[in-house]
């Protein structure tokens, strides 16, 4: 079924507004109203993305995550490698010393 991208956009904007209202009124992550608004927002986005692609052969640059909590541990692992760079201060210090030596020679 081909959906008009303009009407899908209007539905997406309305879903964003409902999600905002639910988030602002939410008392926590387990709020059923927020969960419903999140699901509606995800569905509205997918509908808009599909309609845009069907009409213009263009996709949005966004991705909707499915919200599985099983991936939480994996997300932390992505940043573990960054800790290795914090210990690599010797490289920067050596460069600074080389510049200081060059200045003294002049």
């Amino acid at each position: 079924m081909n959906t008009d991208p303009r009407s899908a956009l209007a539905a997406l904007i309305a879903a964003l507004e409902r999600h905002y209202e639910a988030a602002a009124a939410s008392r926590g992550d387990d709020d059923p109203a927020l969960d419903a608004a999140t699901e509606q927002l995800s569905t509205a986005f997918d509908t808009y993305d599909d309609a845009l692609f069907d009409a213009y052969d263009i996709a949005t640059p966004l991705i909707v995550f499915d919200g599985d909590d099983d991936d939480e541990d994996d997300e932390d692992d992505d940043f573990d490698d960054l800790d290795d760079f914090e210990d690599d201060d010797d490289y920067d210090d050596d460069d600074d010393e080389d510049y200081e030596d060059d200045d003294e020679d002049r």
Side-chain angles (χ1 to χ4, degrees):
M1 175 174 90
N2 286 337
T3 303
D4 174 47
R6 176 58 72 179
S7 63
L9 176 60
L12 175 59
I13 292 169
L16 282 165
E17 291 173 350
R18 284 190 302 273
H19 185 268
Y20 170 78
E21 293 299 326
S26 176
R27 303 256 187 248
D29 290 339
D30 295 331
D31 186 343
L34 182 58
D35 290 342
T38 299
E39 182 63 32
Q40 290 170 355
L41 177 57
S42 179
T43 301
F45 172 76
D46 287 339
T47 301
Y48 171 68
D49 195 41
D50 290 344
L52 192 66
F53 189 79
D54 289 345
Y56 303 112
D57 213 23
I58 295 173
T60 62
L62 306 173
I63 298 171
V64 174
F65 292 100
D66 61 7
D68 285 342
D69 292 337
D70 296 338
D71 294 337
E72 265 184 37
D73 294 333
D74 294 339
E75 290 174 13
D76 294 337
D77 293 341
D78 292 342
F79 297 105
D80 287 344
D81 294 338
L82 295 177
D83 293 337
D84 295 339
F85 292 108
E86 291 175 7
D87 297 333
D88 199 17
D89 291 337
D90 293 338
Y91 179 78
D92 294 335
D93 292 342
D94 291 343
D95 285 346
D96 293 341
E97 291 173 9
D98 289 342
Y99 290 120
E100 289 172 7
D101 290 343
D102 289 344
D103 290 339
E104 291 174 3
D105 292 340
R106 290 184 196 169

